[in-house]
Amino acid sequence: FAMSNGGIVLYALTLFISLVGFSELVKATNVRKEEKKPSGIEIVGYLGIVAYYIVRYLTDSDTYALLAIILTIMGMMLVYVLTFPKYHAQQVMSAGFSFLYCPVLLSYIYMTRNLTQGIFLVWLIFLCSWGCDTCAYCVGVLIGKHKMAPVLSPKKSIEGAVGGVVGAALLGAIYAVATGSYNPNPAHTPLIYAIICGVGALVSMVGDLAASAIKRQENIKDYGTLIPGHGGILDRFDSVIFTAPVIYALSITLM
């Protein structure tokens, strides 16, 4: 519903997911540590997320969006300086990374939907992410023999990765054919969609492994419990976080 309608509905949903994702990541990386309530650095992050999304809603200018990002990072550093030595430098860096990693990258879902013919393009973000994951799992179970990242993710195989990329590209082509009669733009061909989904699938695997690496480093099983059976927002959207800006960039470049 949110993807199809776009506008304020998708905007509000993306903002909510970003806030929750940021909260999960700062907790996982010990920005809050022993404090039961949000830390000062964390509060600046929440305010920065809201400010950044307001800018994205009101204007297409990347200049103002970049300004919101810079001011948020500076605000975190200001809290760090004024309350020194309450926070460690690692906490500040983790908070800044959490702000860029989840809210900023996820905002490209909303931005992709706002593109011309974005109603078709925005689905490619999820098609290549979750399609790659499903195809990689199936191929890996069937013929996977060579480990892709034996220490980080022992169950993932090179064969599964190849199957995931090829499967996502195929799904992109099928999606282009299925929506062709509704999409008036002749540039939206099965080949272009296959290329976009193939590249997106490669990036999605990096996003998946990156999120797994953080969990393994911090010795946690899941980022949260918001989604029953899946964990937290970051557990479900780990690959989407990486694919969203890539699909946005490829959509602008190739069409």
Side-chain angles (χ1 to χ4, degrees):
F1 176 79
M3 300 301 165
S4 299
N5 288 273
I8 191 66
V9 178
L10 180 59
Y11 169 81
L13 178 61
T14 309
L15 173 57
F16 170 74
I17 292 174
S18 295
L19 289 168
V20 175
F22 174 78
S23 175
E24 291 176 351
L25 195 53
V26 294
K27 290 176 184 177
T29 54
N30 295 313
V31 172
R32 189 177 295 187
K33 288 192 178 295
E34 294 83 11
E35 300 175 9
K36 293 183 179 180
K37 59 182 180 180
S39 66
I41 296 173
E42 191 178 343
I43 291 173
V44 172
Y46 290 126
L47 294 175
I49 293 168
V50 174
Y52 172 78
Y53 270 84
I54 289 175
V55 169
R56 282 299 186 196
Y57 185 75
L58 295 177
T59 176
D60 294 329
S61 173
D62 289 331
T63 301
Y64 290 113
L66 179 59
L67 181 61
I69 293 172
I70 292 172
L71 290 176
T72 300
I73 301 299
M74 291 176 65
M76 290 178 178
M77 292 301 296
L78 179 62
V79 172
Y80 173 56
V81 169
L82 294 180
T83 60
F84 188 85
K86 181 178 181 179
Y87 301 107
H88 295 290
Q90 186 63 45
Q91 289 175 279
V92 184
M93 290 184 284
S94 294
F97 167 76
S98 299
F99 171 71
L100 295 173
Y101 175 72
C102 187
V104 173
L105 297 187
L106 272 178
S107 70
Y108 283 88
I109 296 175
Y110 173 72
M111 292 170 64
T112 301
R113 178 60 181 83
N114 285 346
L115 293 174
T116 304
Q117 307 305 322
I119 190 172
F120 301 104
L121 296 169
V122 71
W123 291 104
L124 296 178
I125 296 172
F126 302 93
L127 190 63
C128 69
S129 299
W130 295 339
C132 174
D133 190 43
T134 302
C135 293
Y137 173 78
C138 293
V139 174
V141 169
L142 291 174
I143 61 172
K145 293 182 179 180
H146 301 86
K147 302 298 182 183
M148 183 172 67
V151 176
L152 180 57
S153 188
K155 294 182 179 180
K156 286 181 169 50
S157 66
I158 294 176
E159 292 84 357
V162 173
V165 173
V166 174
L170 182 60
L171 287 173
I174 294 172
Y175 173 67
V177 173
T179 59
S181 58
Y182 306 98
N183 190 343
N185 193 329
H188 291 229
T189 64
L191 177 60
I192 292 296
Y193 273 28
I195 293 173
I196 291 176
C197 281
V199 174
L202 283 170
V203 176
S204 75
M205 288 188 286
V206 178
D208 182 33
L209 290 171
S212 297
I214 294 173
K215 287 194 291 185
R216 187 174 291 271
Q217 194 90 59
E218 300 297 335
N219 196 29
I220 58 174
K221 183 179 182 295
D222 294 315
Y223 283 104
T225 58
L226 183 65
I227 308 175
H230 293 282
I233 286 294
L234 294 180
D235 295 293
R236 182 69 278 185
F237 287 82
D238 50 4
S239 57
V240 172
I241 289 172
F242 270 48
T243 56
V246 171
I247 299 304
Y248 175 83
L250 288 174
S251 297
I252 292 176
T253 303
L254 299 178
M255 298 178 189

